[in-house]
Amino acid sequence: MSKNSVVPSLPRVLPVTAVLGLSDPAEGDWGRLRGLQYSSLARVTKHRITAHILAALGVCWIYIGTVHWAFLLAWLAVLGGSLYYGAQIDRDLVDADRRRIGRDEVQKQTIGAIANALVWVVPMAFFAPYGDAMAKLELWAVCAMVMTACAVMLPAVPLANLMFTGIVGAAALASFAYTLKFEMMIVSLLFIAVVVRGAIENARAFLTARVAEAGMAERNEVVSLLLKEFEEGEADWLWQIDTSRRVRAASPRFAFALGLGPDEIDGKSFIQLIAGPAWETGQFPSSLHDLAERLKRRESFSNLLVRVSIGGSQRWWELSGTPKLDDNGNFDGFRGVGSDVTEQRESSEKIAHMARYDTLSGLPNRMMVTEALGEAMRYADQWRTRCAFLMIDLDRFKAVNDTLGHLVGDQLLARVSERLRTICSDNELCGRLGGDEFAIVVRDASDPTRVGRIAQAIIEGLSRPYEVDHHTLYIGASVGSATGPRDGTTVETLMRNADLALYRSKEEGGGQHFGYEPELHALAEERRKLEFSLRRALERNEFVLNYQPVVDAMDENIVSFEALLRWNSEEHGMVSPAKFIPLAEDTRLIVPIGEWVLREACREAARWPAHVKVAVNVSGEQLLDTHFIGSVVGALSQSGLPAQRLEIEVTESIFVRDAITARAALEQIMSLGCGIALDDFGTGYSSLAYIRNLRFSTIKVDRSFVQGAATGSPESLAIIRAVVAMAESLEMSTTAEGVETEAELTCIRQLGCRKIQGYYYGRPMPAVEARSLFATPTLQRASA
């Protein structure tokens, strides 16, 4: 229903001035009430015009012989004009009952009535003197008829009636006074008073009736809409029971909801029909028991949710009911409405479950974990005990996800969730925070060893191999924990501190559990400051490259240098690469820093002898960057260094992260003429597959194997022999890293490594010192 269909309020008392339209009291919506008054004018316009025409013809009949016909015709024309003007006003007000009428419209209608009244003054003032006394009485009768007709036919506009009656009546009184007909003056005056009084009362009754009529129409419209809406609602039905709670006058739709016919349910127990097997066992659902109690107590209920059994299946009904009384006021049963809301309830339950549980793992999500931790902290505060929060991050999960795809990764997360469930007892709640992060809330951690035992069980349980989609997968877990209220008195503080402990576990290499310590805040703050300084290091020219020589194992001539990045921070001084390189990779600052290293290393290498190469380490973040090939080409072109003199060093981990993209990038680099060195071979995810598929120029043997071989370790000796043999068969060179002693040098030469790098021949040095080494044919050993 539109806003305009609202029924106007009617004041308790209708003042005369308000009915006439001379005032608008504060009580009541008089803009709408005026509309109800004036909207009916158009319906009686024809009747009003007809009455005026008949009266005008009567006047002409009376004075046809005494007043010139031209004057009579002129008067009729003016009267017709005034009637036409009034009809136009009536037509403009036809929709006034659906809007608020303005005072200007009321005044316009009143002016039309005054104009019409002045036209009727003409016969009394100008025609009457030409006739005899009888003609004047006949004229007065015609005018009285017109005044009465207006009062009867136009109750909606009492002000117009009063103006017409007053003006025409005043003219009649003046005419009688002129001829000294005082008895007629008194009769006329009484008649005018009766007409005025009748017009006002008629208008008041008319207005009251119109408001009541509008209210009734409004209520009928509302009822019709409600009934139509109810009848069209396929899920709703009417139900009725007697004093014995047996179904009476069953509606077809109610019977359909029960899966029966109307005749089958009529006279049956209402509760029995919806209870199903519970009627025999007496094991009623609590909601059904509540319904039975309300029916027994004869009390109304609304939107009562009841679990019912229909045809062996569980459904949910929403019932409303009201006690029914007979003509004597005695209880006569119940009647009400009902609807099947099973689908809505299941949907709402599903939405509620999805809001609190992770869809992939089925574990509680971050919101529910947070709520559980808050409850555990309140419990610990109430009983003066402890609670704990453990954060778990999976080690090497990203490598599995990137290599085998998200489908395998999701299956792996589901398996991890299953194992975590078996670890947790009723005292713990396990949830997934997102990605490969999980958490455990320990409600009662008063046993100081409990958290450590749970953490150890997590690390051991999640480190066992997984069989997923015909793949055997190995991952691990890092755990950080915080105990409340010792390590935090709020949920946010405890979670943040557990996260700091987890970060320390990851920094230590993963696969460990660390509890929160206050010092971790200082470490986190130090890391934040270090990151801030690192972001400005390139602008401040704080980076510098050092170069470590690589020599031929036989003649000890320099064959290349490895460019090693060093950072001399204005705030932190010399910062270890082991500290800032991981930070640069985490923040992806390694990409712009790596571009600078490439440009600087090529520029410096262009000053060296033509046979000496430069090796530059490239991280996975750089290699997988879409602009990396362009930065290599740019560094070579700007420096003028031949591509054959640039060697890119990568580690095995890049193939686990994204083998396809890594291989494509390395193949483009090799197509330029650059060499590719595989660094730290044998320490990570060693695989012969990518060695076979890519033509590496060099395989670098990690220093741990070099040191092991020098001490006679059979495993280290076997690994180096295998690497050297494989490299020679594939026409690749080998470089032994970390050679520091004569014994290590001798051992490496005997094993067949072609190139040697280590402190034995030189530590990383500035560019100027590196250039000075070319002055001597062979490199001075550290022991010399």
Side-chain angles (χ1 to χ4, degrees), residues 364-366 369-370 389-392 431-435 437-439 495:
N365 61 11
R366 179 181 289 272
V369 168
T370 303
F389 184 69
L390 288 78
M391 290 190 70
I392 306 160
R432 181 179 176 222
L433 302 181
E437 276 196 344
F438 296 83
M495 293 181 75

Side-chain angles (χ1 to χ4, degrees), residues 219-234:
R219 284 189 289 273
N220 289 339
E221 181 182 0
V222 172
V223 171
S224 298
L225 288 175
L226 291 176
L227 287 175
K228 182 179 179 182
E229 182 180 352
F230 181 79
E231 290 172 358
E232 292 177 352
E234 297 181 359

Side-chain angles (χ1 to χ4, degrees), residues 99-382:
R99 60 183 176 86
R100 286 174 171 78
I101 189 171
R103 299 204 42 116
D104 56 333
E105 293 178 290
V106 174
Q107 292 174 358
K108 187 176 180 182
Q109 204 281 334
T110 305
I111 290 172
I114 293 173
N116 186 249
L118 292 175
V119 173
W120 276 100
V121 168
V122 171
M124 191 64 70
F126 300 102
F127 295 172
Y130 295 99
D132 55 16
M134 182 58 67
K136 184 177 289 187
L137 289 176
E138 292 173 346
L139 176 62
W140 163 245
V142 171
C143 291
M145 180 197 72
V146 173
M147 288 188 285
T148 304
C150 288
V152 172
M153 289 190 295
L154 300 176
V157 283
L159 182 60
N161 287 335
L162 262 62
M163 289 295 180
F164 184 90
T165 302
I167 293 173
V168 175
L173 290 175
S175 177
F176 288 133
Y178 181 76
T179 58
L180 302 177
K181 298 291 184 178
F182 297 109
E183 67 277 11
M184 289 302 301
M185 286 181 62
I186 295 172
V187 171
S188 300
L189 189 61
L190 291 174
F191 178 82
I192 293 171
V194 170
V195 170
V196 169
R197 179 67 179 179
I200 293 175
E201 293 302 323
N202 197 21
R204 182 182 281 119
F206 172 83
L207 184 57
T208 304
R210 283 291 287 157
V211 171
E213 179 185 341
M216 183 62 69
E218 185 81 4
R219 284 189 289 273
N220 289 339
E221 181 182 0
V222 172
V223 171
S224 298
L225 288 175
L226 291 176
L227 287 175
K228 182 179 179 182
E229 182 180 352
F230 181 79
E231 290 172 358
E232 292 177 352
E234 297 181 359
D236 298 338
W237 61 80
L238 298 171
W239 60 272
Q240 183 171 313
I241 60 175
D242 59 18
T243 54
S244 300
R245 283 169 273 180
R246 297 184 180 276
V247 176
R248 297 300 179 195
S251 66
R253 195 172 295 161
F254 178 42
F256 178 77
L258 288 167
L260 301 169
D263 296 337
E264 296 179 84
I265 66 173
D266 199 47
K268 295 287 183 66
S269 168
F270 180 47
I271 299 297
Q272 182 180 0
L273 287 171
I274 63 178
W279 180 260
E280 302 296 335
T281 63
Q283 303 294 323
F284 294 109
S286 59
S287 58
L288 195 57
H289 188 272
D290 186 23
L291 172 64
E293 286 296 316
R294 290 172 185 263
L295 295 176
K296 182 179 179 181
R297 292 195 298 266
R298 302 178 181 179
E299 62 184 32
S300 299
F301 52 89
S302 178
N303 301 326
L304 182 65
L305 203 60
V306 181
R307 191 169 64 135
V308 300
S309 179
I310 307 298
S313 64
Q314 298 295 320
R315 309 289 295 177
W316 286 95
W317 284 6
E318 191 174 73
L319 299 174
S320 299
T322 305
K324 187 175 55 161
L325 305 178
D326 60 16
D327 295 337
N328 298 321
N330 299 318
F331 176 71
D332 195 32
F334 267 85
R335 68 157 56 98
V337 296
S339 60
D340 191 317
V341 294
T342 306
E343 285 74 18
Q344 297 93 309
R345 181 174 175 85
E346 289 177 349
S347 297
S348 62
E349 287 179 346
K350 185 176 181 181
I351 292 171
H353 185 273
M354 291 174 64
R356 300 172 66 82
Y357 286 87
D358 176 58
T359 55
L360 175 63
S361 63
L363 295 174
N365 61 11
R366 179 181 289 272
M367 183 181 76
M368 191 170 178
V369 168
T370 303
E371 291 176 356
L373 181 57
E375 180 60 32
M377 295 190 73
R378 285 188 291 272
Y379 177 86
D381 181 64
Q382 179 181 359

Side-chain angles (χ1 to χ4, degrees), residues 3 75 85 126-127 286 337 364 370 388 452 552 568 574 624 700 704 743:
K3 182 178 179 181
W75 176 73
Y85 176 77
F126 300 102
F127 295 172
S286 59
V337 296
T370 303
D552 187 286
N568 186 9
M574 290 300 299
L624 300 179
K700 303 186 75 172
S704 60

Side-chain angles (χ1 to χ4, degrees), residues 16 311 334 337 448 472 565 568 730:
V16 173
F334 267 85
V337 296
T472 302
L565 183 63
N568 186 9
L730 295 174

Side-chain angles (χ1 to χ4, degrees), residues 636-754:
L636 291 173
S637 61
Q638 290 175 15
S639 63
L641 183 73
Q644 294 78 9
R645 293 180 58 194
L646 175 62
E647 192 171 57
I648 300 295
E649 288 193 11
V650 297
T651 61
E652 298 167 308
S653 61
I654 62 169
F655 297 102
V656 178
R657 179 172 178 183
D658 192 341
I660 297 175
T661 306
R663 179 180 173 181
L666 292 177
E667 286 176 346
Q668 292 184 63
I669 292 172
M670 287 189 290
S671 68
L672 297 174
C674 301
I676 303 294
L678 183 59
D679 199 8
D680 298 335
F681 180 73
T683 60
Y685 309 93
S686 300
S687 172
L688 297 179
Y690 52 76
I691 294 179
R692 183 183 68 249
N693 295 331
L694 284 170
R695 302 291 298 177
F696 290 99
S697 58
T698 303
I699 296 179
K700 303 186 75 172
V701 180
D702 187 71
R703 62 174 296 182
S704 60
F705 299 122
V706 172
Q707 293 172 345
T711 58
S713 169
E715 293 82 4
S716 297
L717 289 168
I719 290 174
I720 295 178
R721 288 192 185 101
V723 171
V724 170
M726 177 185 63
E728 288 180 353
S729 65
L730 295 174
E731 298 180 353
M732 300 177 185
S733 178
T734 52
T735 299
E737 294 185 294
V739 176
E740 298 181 357
T741 65
E742 183 74 31
E744 292 173 353
L745 174 61
T746 302
C747 178
I748 289 302
R749 280 176 171 170
Q750 291 173 354
L751 291 173
C753 285
R754 297 184 184 180

